[in-house]
Amino acid sequence: MDIQKTIQHLFAKAASTHSEHEAEAAILKAHELMAKYGITDVTSKEDIKYATESCKHSGNRSFRRYLAGMIAPNFRVKYFLRNMEVTFFGRESDVRIAKEVFEYAYRFANRESQRICREMRANQVDTSGIINSYTLGFCKGLKEQLDAQSTALLVITPQDVDQKYTELSQNFKKSKRQMKISQFSNTFYEQGRQDGRSVLNRHRLEDKGDA
């Protein structure tokens, strides 16, 4: 079996399939083979296609920056904000998966934190700090899951993507805005952390259910 051709085929499948689950599975399998056989890249310069994709995230919650920053390196892409929207840059198939994972994770964390607040308000409990505590924990849990996956698969952002992004971002304004938490809740932080650890498995199960 020609391993390099197999990996090239997996990346091509990820770029062409209409199924997000199949695309993600193909990318992960390609990374697994690259790690197993010590291959750093299989794409010739002539065949590399770059993409820039902005994401949908209703409410523009402040945790979106943290979430994007944790997803980007684990899917070999770069991120920045464009018109307040999280935007990924990198190789076409990688950007597609990063965007899809980000949008699912953002929707889940936003929906779940809002649900918790509704329940707390119904019980006349002060909800200050709940959303930010939960989403901060969610990002932490997701980072732990993604980092373990990337370490096992030796995921490294391609050098050409780093170089292209350096050129692209030369005139970007640097933001120092930070996520503020008025009243930190360890209970909801840990709940978010547990959900962050499991959200990718939920996503894959939902994709299989829709297939």
Side-chain angles (χ1 to χ4, degrees):
M1 178 173 63
D2 188 324
I3 296 300
Q4 292 212 0
K5 285 187 177 179
T6 299
I7 295 170
Q8 288 173 337
H9 173 73
L10 287 166
F11 279 123
K13 180 178 181 180
S16 62
T17 181
H18 295 295
S19 166
E20 300 295 352
H21 172 67
E22 286 185 3
E24 184 179 351
I27 288 286
L28 291 177
K29 184 62 178 179
H31 290 169
E32 179 184 334
L33 291 175
M34 290 170 74
K36 182 177 180 179
Y37 292 98
I39 299 171
T40 57
D41 206 346
V42 295
T43 309
S44 65
K45 290 183 178 180
E46 294 77 16
D47 293 332
I48 294 175
K49 294 181 180 179
Y50 298 101
T52 304
E53 293 281 350
S54 294
C55 302
K56 297 177 181 178
H57 39 73
S58 62
N60 289 337
R61 301 291 180 185
S62 57
F63 78 94
R64 72 192 189 283
R65 295 172 60 95
Y66 289 83
L67 185 62
M70 292 165 188
I71 287 175
N74 288 283
F75 290 91
R76 312 193 320 160
V77 300
K78 299 291 187 178
Y79 93 95
F80 57 96
L81 292 186
R82 181 169 63 184
N83 298 325
M84 299 296 290
E85 295 178 334
V86 166
T87 302
F88 290 113
F89 168 81
R91 294 187 180 181
E92 192 174 46
S93 57
D94 293 331
V95 167
R96 177 186 176 189
I97 302 303
K99 176 184 177 183
E100 197 264 338
V101 169
F102 171 87
E103 290 184 342
Y104 178 84
Y106 180 91
R107 285 196 305 271
F108 182 95
N110 193 35
R111 182 178 67 240
E112 189 63 13
S113 61
Q114 295 288 341
R115 181 192 66 76
I116 293 170
C117 280
R118 286 195 299 272
E119 289 185 358
M120 293 300 102
R121 281 194 291 267
N123 292 317
Q124 298 183 332
V125 175
D126 182 9
T127 60
S128 299
I130 288 180
I131 289 179
N132 283 353
S133 297
Y134 175 89
T135 53
L136 189 63
F138 180 89
C139 289
K140 175 65 174 177
L142 179 59
K143 184 179 188 305
E144 292 170 349
Q145 184 70 14
L146 287 173
D147 284 353
Q149 173 181 290
S150 292
T151 298
L153 300 181
L154 301 178
V155 175
I156 300 173
T157 303
Q159 188 175 24
D160 58 280
V161 172
D162 284 329
Q163 292 173 343
K164 289 284 186 181
Y165 180 74
T166 298
E167 297 171 7
L168 177 69
S169 62
Q170 283 182 347
N171 297 320
F172 285 0
K173 293 181 179 179
K174 303 298 182 182
S175 174
K176 296 182 179 180
R177 294 181 64 182
Q178 296 183 341
M179 191 171 172
K180 297 180 180 179
I181 300 180
S182 57
Q183 296 179 33
F184 179 78
S185 168
N186 191 63
T187 298
F188 294 111
Y189 175 87
E190 287 299 327
Q191 184 173 343
R193 187 178 178 188
Q194 291 300 319
D195 285 346
R197 286 173 174 170
S198 63
V199 71
L200 293 183
N201 289 332
R202 293 172 186 260
H203 176 36
R204 288 160 188 160
L205 286 172
E206 287 182 15
D207 273 346
K208 288 181 180 179
D210 292 338

